[in-house]
Amino acid sequence: MKTMTEIKTNKLTLVQAVTDGLRTMLREHEEVLVLGEDVGQNGGVFRATDGLAAEFGEARVMDTPLAEAGIVGTSIGLAINGFRPVAEMQFLGFVYPAYEQIMTHASRIRSRTLSRYSVPMVIRAPYGGGIRAPEIHSDSCESLFTHMPGMKVVVPSNPYDAKGLLIAAIEDPDPVLFMEPMRSYRAFKADVPEEKYTVELGKGAKLTEGEDVTVIAWGNMVSTAQKAVDQLKDDNISCELLDLRTLYPLDKDLIAESVKKTGRAVIVHEAPETGGVGNDVLSVINNEAFLYLRSPVQKVAGFDTPFPFFSLEEEYLPTPERITHAIKKAVTF
């Protein structure tokens, strides 16, 4: 096994790590295809597929019409017939026309055929606020898909995880929704190995050790929660920060172990609170760690409104200040 000092790495942004993961899998497996609106010559709306059509040809990195249901339906057919398609939704909020294909077919074909057929496909979808995009471009509707057995839902928060999780998603035998946090696309760079590696689906990560409270976040909200955790060090409040990385299936063991240790929890997500994945995390805590709780679990979420126009998005999104307030409320209960 190579040590970290022997592994060659590059400083990449999250979106560059996505490109690197796609290139790695296109090189390794001829059955991997990339399809979507403008993913070919233009390299995608966020340039996540930049240069791939020139390197692998338009038969493997192909532009499609503006028809999300067609992109996903075509990918399902390709997957059943031995390919591993990676379909791009330009924004998660554009996925609604394809929802019927995902709900009725992609997630059910394994159970419908008693595992004679599976659907090894990935749907990539930029999501979330913070980039002042027009209406529907900032939706965070992950709970629509975590409610769908048969579909895994993955959300990286940093470049290393983005490449490793994407490769694991492409190799997975079942459909995966791969949500990419737009605000984090070019927010920072991190070391990403040049070689192929995977980050296991269904496993979260403990980013900081703490004693007083567990803070649970994913995607864009991880960096926001990290700022809150750092601020509270001056108040001698020790926070354990978890990045879930996969929303379905949840890493129940990681959540339970941490909350049993700290006795308190704060859940952070930018989707509206009602019906959000935070409720599933709360159920895990109630089922697995209720008797260890020393205060009610707090949630910091988006509001129960459609994502607002850009002039109000900073009012909508959870901030470090809202998170620190919730943490102090949990600790001082």
Side-chain angles (χ1 to χ4, degrees):
M1 181 181 292
K2 293 181 180 178
T3 65
M4 287 302 294
T5 55
E6 296 173 321
I7 297 174
K8 291 184 178 179
T9 62
N10 294 310
K11 291 282 187 185
L12 300 180
T13 62
L14 194 152
V15 71
Q16 288 172 330
V18 169
T19 310
D20 196 22
L22 290 171
R23 179 177 287 109
T24 298
M25 294 304 286
L26 283 162
R27 285 176 176 168
E28 182 166 305
H29 299 286
E30 289 190 355
E31 64 270 26
V32 173
L33 306 174
V34 174
L35 65 161
E37 299 156 23
D38 296 329
V39 301
Q41 291 187 356
N42 284 343
V45 64
F46 289 101
R47 301 298 178 260
T49 56
D50 193 27
L52 299 182
E55 183 174 351
F56 299 100
E58 295 181 358
R60 296 188 64 200
V61 182
M62 61 194 79
D63 288 320
T64 69
L66 196 163
E68 287 78 9
I71 296 169
V72 173
T74 300
S75 298
I76 293 169
L78 288 166
I80 292 173
N81 285 280
F83 293 94
R84 290 185 178 270
V86 183
E88 179 180 296
M89 300 287 106
Q90 287 195 334
F91 296 86
L92 184 61
F94 293 1
V95 77
Y96 307 127
Y99 191 70
E100 190 274 337
Q101 287 286 343
I102 300 169
M103 185 76 173
T104 306
H105 302 296
S107 63
R108 296 173 185 255
I109 284 175
R110 177 181 286 281
S111 60
R112 182 183 296 157
T113 65
L114 301 178
S115 293
R116 282 182 295 173
Y117 295 98
S118 63
V119 183
M121 62 178 283
V122 175
I123 302 172
R124 293 183 40 249
Y127 87 99
I131 66 165
R132 295 179 173 270
E135 185 182 18
I136 305 176
H137 292 62
S138 300
D139 285 9
S140 183
C141 54
E142 57 267 34
S143 61
L144 293 179
F145 302 93
T146 57
H147 194 63
M148 188 185 303
M151 169 73 66
K152 296 182 178 70
V153 179
V154 177
V155 191
S157 68
N158 60 73
Y160 180 90
D161 284 356
K163 179 177 177 179
L165 287 168
L166 179 58
I167 291 174
I170 294 172
E171 291 185 333
D172 196 271
D174 293 303
V176 178
L177 174 64
F178 192 82
M179 296 172 52
E180 298 169 8
M182 290 187 292
R183 191 171 64 177
S184 302
Y185 261 157
R186 294 178 172 82
F188 60 96
K189 291 187 175 182
D191 287 327
V192 176
E194 290 183 356
E195 62 187 33
K196 178 187 174 184
Y197 65 95
T198 59
V199 174
E200 184 178 1
L201 306 186
K203 294 293 183 184
K206 184 189 298 183
L207 303 185
T208 62
E209 292 280 354
E211 302 295 332
D212 297 322
V213 59
T214 299
V215 181
I216 304 165
W218 55 90
N220 281 322
M221 287 298 103
V222 171
S223 59
T224 305
Q226 182 70 66
K227 292 176 182 175
V229 168
D230 292 341
Q231 289 176 13
L232 287 169
K233 291 178 182 176
D234 294 336
D235 296 317
N236 293 319
I237 297 176
S238 171
C239 302
E240 191 146 291
L241 177 59
L242 306 185
D243 177 0
L244 290 184
R245 300 198 294 198
T246 299
L247 304 183
Y248 189 93
L250 284 171
D251 189 344
K252 297 179 181 179
D253 291 341
L254 179 70
I255 297 168
E257 179 185 0
S258 179
V259 176
K260 285 178 180 177
K261 172 186 170 185
T262 65
R264 305 179 182 90
V266 175
I267 304 164
V268 185
H269 62 69
E270 63 180 290
E273 180 173 355
T274 299
V277 174
N279 294 340
D280 297 316
V281 177
L282 186 53
S283 292
V284 172
I285 295 170
N286 279 339
N287 292 338
E288 306 293 336
F290 180 77
L291 295 179
Y292 294 81
L293 288 175
R294 291 188 280 175
S295 67
V297 176
Q298 303 295 315
K299 284 194 293 182
V300 183
F303 298 108
D304 286 344
T305 67
F307 196 90
F309 293 114
F310 61 80
S311 61
L312 293 174
E313 70 176 13
E314 293 302 328
E315 304 297 325
Y316 173 90
L317 289 168
T319 61
E321 289 71 27
R322 285 177 60 192
I323 299 170
T324 56
H325 177 75
I327 292 172
K328 289 180 178 178
K329 189 175 179 181
V331 171
T332 59
F333 177 77

